[in-house]
C-alpha cells in the first residue's frame, strides 16, 4: 500500500491548439482558463498544484495569479510526456502520486483528483488510475468522440474504446436514428461507463510510461491510455455517479463555459 503517500496535481498546458489557439490563456471571469483550473483543484488536498507549460507567456500568467508553474520543452507529443518532464524538474520522489488534470477543465470536481490518488494509495499493485461515470444517453454511447471503458470485477480497466462497449446484444437493434442503431430499453442492462480524462500515476510509473513505445491499439483508437494496458499494466477506475462539467475544446465550448461561470458567480 502507498498509505500516506503525498500527491501532486500537475496541469499540462500547451499554448498552441488547433481548434482554439492560446486556449490556456482564454479569459474566464477575469483570469486565464488554466489559472481557473488550478484554483478549482486547490482544495483537493494535493501537496501542491503546478502548471506544466510550454511557454513563458503561460508561466507569466500563472505567476500573476499566484499559481506555481514549471516550463517544459515545447516539442512534447503528449500531455503525459510533459508531465513526466515536469515531475523530474520538481524532483518528486519515486513513490509520489502525480495526478494529471487537463488544463481545459475549469469546472472539474475537485473530489476526482483526490479519489484517483486515494485509489493508488490503497492498491500498490496498481500504477495508474482514472475516472468514469455511467451514461445512458444513446447519442453519447454511439458517439466516437465519447470514450467508453469496461472494467473487471475489481474495478480495473479491461479496455477503452470509442466504440459502444460493452456491446449490448439484446438491447441494441437496427433503427433509423442517424447512428444506425436504436436503444430498445430505457437503459442498457449493463452500465456503460464514459471515461473521464483524468489520470493518476506513481512518479516511477509515469517516468516509465513516457518511455514506452506506442501500442498498436493506442494508435488504432487514438487513445494514449491503451499503451499501459497493451504493455500489461493495470489501470484502476474510480466510478463517480456524476458527469463532470464540460471541458473546452472549441470556441463554442468556451462560450458555454463562460455562460455557466457567469451564472455561478
Amino acid at each position: 500500500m502507498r498509505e500516506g503517500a503525498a500527491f501532486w496535481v500537475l496541469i499540462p498546458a500547451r499554448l498552441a491548439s488547433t481548434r482554439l489557439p492560446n486556449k490556456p490563456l482564454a479569459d474566464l471571469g477575469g483570469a486565464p482558463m488554466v489559472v481557473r483550473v488550478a484554483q478549482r483543484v486547490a482544495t483537493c488536498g494535493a501537496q501542491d498544484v503546478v502548471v506544466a507549460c510550454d511557454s513563458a507567456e503561460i508561466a507569466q500568467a500563472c505567476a500573476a495569479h499566484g499559481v506555481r508553474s514549471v516550463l517544459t520543452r515545447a516539442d512534447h507529443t503528449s500531455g503525459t510526456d510533459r508531465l513526466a518532464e515536469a515531475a523530474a524538474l520538481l524532483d518528486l520522489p519515486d513513490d509520489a502520486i502525480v495526478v494529471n488534470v487537463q488544463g481545459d477543465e475549469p469546472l472539474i470536481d475537485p473530489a476526482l483528483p483526490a479519489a484517483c490518488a486515494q485509489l493508488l494509495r490503497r492498491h500498490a499493485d496498481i500504477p495508474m488510475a482514472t475516472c468514469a461515470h455511467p451514461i445512458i444517453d444513446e447519442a453519447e454511447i454511439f458517439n466516437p468522440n465519447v470514450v467508453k471503458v469496461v472494467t473487471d470485477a475489481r474495478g480495473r480497466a479491461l479496455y477503452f474504446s470509442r466504440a459502444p462497449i460493452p456491446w449490448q446484444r439484446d438491447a441494441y437493434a437496427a433503427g433509423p436514428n442517424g447512428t444506425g442503431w436504436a436503444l430498445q430499453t430505457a437503459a442498457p442492462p449493463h452500465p456503460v461507463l464514459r471515461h473521464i480524462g483524468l489520470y493518476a500515476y506513481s512518479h516511477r510509473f509515469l517516468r516509465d510510461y513516457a518511455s514506452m513505445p506506442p501500442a498498436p491499439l493506442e494508435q488504432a483508437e487514438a487513445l494514449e491510455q491503451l499503451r499501459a494496458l497493451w504493455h500489461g499494466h493495470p489501470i484502476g477506475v474510480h466510478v463517480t455517479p456524476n458527469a463532470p462539467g464540460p471541458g473546452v475544446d472549441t470556441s463554442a465550448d468556451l462560450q458555454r463555459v463562460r455562460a455557466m461561470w457567469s451564472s455561478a458567480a
Side-chain angles (χ1 to χ4, degrees), residues 61-265:
C62 289
H65 290 84
V67 172
R68 189 180 180 192
S69 69
V70 290
L71 190 60
T72 62
R73 300 198 324 264
D75 60 349
H76 288 301
T77 57
S78 72
T80 306
D81 294 328
R82 192 173 310 286
L83 257 61
E85 183 189 356
L89 291 172
L90 293 168
D91 197 25
L92 300 186
D94 278 353
D95 64 348
I97 295 171
V98 178
V99 181
N100 178 350
V101 174
Q102 299 301 313
D104 55 7
E105 299 281 351
L107 301 178
I108 187 172
D109 181 355
L112 291 181
C116 262
Q118 186 58 26
L119 192 56
L120 290 192
R121 283 172 171 163
R122 293 198 310 266
H123 303 283
D125 60 326
I126 299 176
M128 181 174 174
T130 191
C131 300
H133 72 91
I135 54 173
I136 61 172
D137 182 81
E138 181 181 354
E140 289 194 336
I141 291 172
F142 289 93
N143 184 348
N145 294 317
V146 174
V147 179
K148 277 70 68 173
V149 57
V150 290
T151 63
D152 64 15
R154 296 177 295 173
R156 301 183 181 191
L158 290 170
Y159 192 62
F160 298 84
S161 182
R162 298 181 182 278
I165 57 172
W167 182 256
Q168 319 268 355
R169 189 194 66 175
D170 296 329
Y172 302 152
N177 65 344
T179 64
W181 299 92
L183 193 59
Q184 298 301 299
T185 57
H190 188 284
V192 178
L193 297 177
R194 178 178 186 167
H195 177 232
I196 301 171
L198 180 150
Y199 302 96
Y201 327 78
S202 70
H203 180 203
R204 180 182 295 107
F205 180 72
L206 175 61
R207 184 174 57 241
D208 295 342
Y209 182 59
S211 66
M212 292 176 191
L217 289 176
E218 169 192 358
Q219 295 172 321
E221 295 258 19
L223 296 175
E224 187 183 10
Q225 63 269 33
L226 289 172
R227 185 183 312 179
L229 295 184
W230 175 268
H231 290 285
H233 302 285
I235 301 175
V237 181
H238 168 74
V239 178
T240 175
N242 303 315
V248 177
D249 287 320
T250 66
S251 295
D253 294 337
L254 180 58
Q255 295 308 315
R256 177 171 58 157
V257 169
R258 278 175 173 163
M260 295 174 69
W261 191 274
S262 297
S263 63

